Amino acid sequence: MSPESIEVLISLLFPLVLLIGTYLIGTLLERRHFTDLRAREEHFRGFPAITFENLPAGWEATSSDVVQGSVVVSLDYFKRFIAALRALVGGRVKSYEPLLDRARREANLRMIEDATSRGFHAVINVRLETSRMASARGDGKGTAGIEILAYGTAIRLASPPS
Amino acid sequence: MQFPIIVTNTETVPGRQIVEFYGVVTGNSVRAKHVGRDIMAGLKNLVGGELKGYTELLQESRQEAAGRMVEQAQSMGANAVVNLRFATSSIAQGAAELFAYGTAVRVE
Amino acid sequence: MRFTPRLPRDGINVSQEHPLKEATVLIVGLGAVFALLFILLVWLVDIVLLLVPAEAEARVFSSWDLSSLEVLSDDSRQAPVQELVERLAAHWPESPYEFRVEIMPGDEANAMALPGGLILVTEGLLDQVETENELALVMGHELGHFKHRDHIRRLGRVTVLTIGAAVVSSSAARVSLADTVGNLATRSFGRDDEREADRFGLELVQAEFGHVAGAWKFFERLDASALGIDRVAAYLSTHPGNRDRIDDLRALAAARGWPLDGEPVSLALGLR
């Protein structure tokens, strides 16, 4: 084989190996994170976190403070490749869905963990913000992340729920 | 937008009484515009005014996000979602996420 | 108002379709679209470029800027090769070009036809040819490219590829793929052109020497040494397999009744 065709082969193989590798690792990490999220959600299931602006009727608060949880995430190489191809065709970008779902649930759980660790009993007026961080380089390449922020007002109740 | 259950963006359901609440429900949808739509919008962009292609794209997407949120609420046994909020954010070049969230409740 | 803790059903916000399925559909679909687009563009550029008369091309490119190319400007071997090319070109009187030969440094044996009548010959080729007849066939082959205007079409293909690569270059992974596939495509496209050029080359050799003996000896040597020697790889990568082309030339000579026996002319003094 000539050195030229070896070069061609390498330039074809390298992205392919990277795609397969990041797909396998990315899928594994995603699956693990979903399992972890579900377990923590079960654990904090009894903790009310709602979007009401006011206290639900019949509740009596003794103190309150703002709590928040945030997370910055990015797609793996394989999914980014698929999303880039999808951007040429248009339509539903499925590769982003699990990422955003994970990120949002993670941010929400971090907010709840913040609230429980400080002895609060519930969070009201929960809001979820999404923003894209500009990439470090000006040309639109480089690492760009998506930040999800969950915040709300945590309240301590006069008569805590059992 | 029409949903199989009551959806409001107020904290109450006018004329009904909230008896039970379950938690936050969310729905998302990420869409990318396709090249054809992009070219048409690019032409329209020269003269300004409504970019019909994009209006439709985002509307479809928002409908889907809200639909998923309602599906979550139904899976919790709720019959209404109150305090609905929409958020639109640019996720990547040419792709936008429509996100809907609210609190799942049961009304009587 | 009572709080009843409940979790929504899992997976509502995530599409259940397998990501590999989407990947396959996208890659195959887009690949087909790009391939079609490429073929269509090359075809269009071919037509447009071939509408440009050869005279106009010769005029436009006659002042080809050699500074971007690495050529040995005052090499003593240039004159004898130039003289051979002119002798061959005399058998193609209607040629609109004024041919110009330049020597390029490098061990690989290769020759190229560029727009405007410019022929590039590597030092490696001059080192490896043994008779004037061998060199004449290689040069005649390049003249054949000018006759069929393959050089201008190759220019068109390279232009399409370059523009195409620039358009999709927003992702690094896509560029390297597009480049590679494009290069391979350009090569396989060229094979028929190479055969035609070979035939024209042999015709010129016959006209010049009165026989075709020893003309394809160079290819035979390349074929024998092809295994394990990288020097010939460059020539092979843009030219058809030597076995095939020798067979083709032999058949052509037989069909036209060109004599296979004759004494090959030794190389001019400066080339030995």
Side-chain angles (χ1 to χ4, degrees), chain C residues 53-65:
Chain C
E55 289 78 6
E57 176 215 323
R59 219 171 31 245
V60 170
F61 286 98
S62 62
S63 53
W64 183 279
D65 184 16

Side-chain angles (χ1 to χ4, degrees), chain B residues 18-22 26-28 68 71-72 75-76, chain C residues 1-9 12-15:
Chain B
I18 299 175
V19 289
E20 207 175 6
F21 61 94
Y22 304 112
T26 62
N28 73 6
R68 284 179 158 182
E71 206 184 325
Q72 283 205 342
S75 78
M76 292 161 94
Chain C
M1 217 187 287
R2 192 170 70 247
F3 173 58
T4 311
R6 274 182 198 167
L7 290 176
R9 197 178 75 235
I12 289 175
N13 278 328
V14 178
S15 292

Side-chain angles (χ1 to χ4, degrees), chain A residues 3-161:
Chain A
E4 219 187 21
S5 48
I6 290 174
E7 204 176 293
V8 167
L9 212 64
I10 288 173
S11 71
L12 271 173
L13 271 181
F14 180 68
L16 201 69
V17 169
L18 197 61
L19 279 177
I20 295 172
T22 52
Y23 167 71
L24 293 175
I25 297 170
T27 309
L28 184 76
L29 291 177
E30 183 180 295
R31 198 166 299 159
R32 267 214 227 141
H33 192 204
F34 272 126
T35 318
D36 174 60
L37 283 172
R38 199 67 193 173
R40 281 154 72 207
E41 277 169 357
E42 286 292 348
H43 182 250
F44 290 109
R45 168 187 195 141
F47 186 94
I50 49 177
T51 64
F52 290 165
E53 271 172 53
N54 301 303
L55 277 179
W59 286 21
E60 207 184 314
T62 55
S63 64
S64 67
D65 194 9
V66 73
V67 283
Q68 55 117 14
S70 75
V71 59
V72 177
V73 290
S74 104
L75 279 184
D76 63 61
Y77 183 82
F78 171 79
K79 287 197 167 159
R80 205 155 49 229
F81 177 73
I82 299 305
L85 291 184
R86 173 56 75 186
L88 297 174
V89 193
R92 198 197 283 191
V93 193
K94 299 187 192 99
S95 33
Y96 270 105
E97 289 175 353
L99 179 79
L100 290 167
D101 192 42
R102 278 160 66 190
R104 213 152 263 141
R105 287 161 68 178
E106 181 67 44
N108 192 49
L109 279 168
R110 286 183 185 178
M111 178 191 73
I112 292 174
E113 280 160 3
D114 182 20
T116 49
S117 70
R118 287 159 63 186
F120 290 107
H121 301 125
V123 180
I124 59 168
N125 207 8
V126 172
R127 289 181 190 222
L128 293 160
E129 293 284 330
T130 312
S131 52
R132 180 157 71 118
M133 290 171 63
S135 60
R137 278 151 57 188
D139 57 1
K141 290 173 186 162
T143 318
I146 298 164
E147 194 212 21
I148 308 272
L149 169 69
Y151 63 106
T153 301
I155 47 175
R156 211 166 272 129
L157 296 172
S159 48

Side-chain angles (χ1 to χ4, degrees), chain C residues 129-257:
Chain C
V129 289
E130 284 176 4
T131 65
E132 191 165 278
N133 304 53
E134 291 174 10
L135 184 59
L137 180 57
V138 177
M139 292 298 104
H141 170 96
E142 299 308 321
L143 293 182
H145 281 314
F146 286 108
K147 174 151 170 90
H148 304 119
R149 306 197 69 200
D150 299 330
H151 60 296
I152 202 103
R153 284 192 297 173
R154 183 167 291 178
L155 184 79
R157 268 177 219 135
V158 172
T159 315
V160 170
L161 271 178
T162 318
I163 294 173
V167 167
V168 291
S169 66
S170 49
S171 152
R174 269 179 289 162
V175 174
S176 63
L177 278 176
D179 282 354
T180 323
V181 174
N183 276 336
L184 294 173
T186 323
R187 265 162 211 177
S188 60
F189 268 69
R191 298 267 153 143
D192 281 344
D193 299 343
E194 298 294 341
R195 192 143 298 147
E196 284 305 311
D198 266 355
R199 291 180 181 172
F200 183 71
L202 196 67
E203 205 176 315
L204 292 182
V205 169
Q206 161 69 20
E208 173 63 24
F209 299 99
H211 64 82
V212 293
W216 50 76
K217 264 253 166 60
F218 172 60
F219 298 144
E220 280 170 359
R221 276 206 310 284
L222 276 187
D223 197 46
S225 64
L227 293 170
I229 294 184
D230 291 337
R231 299 179 97 191
V232 296
Y235 193 82
L236 286 178
S237 64
T238 50
H239 292 82
N242 291 304
R243 200 49 25 223
D244 290 356
R245 64 197 300 193
I246 295 166
D247 290 347
D248 187 63
L249 289 174
R250 215 183 279 279
L252 179 71
R256 299 281 199 92

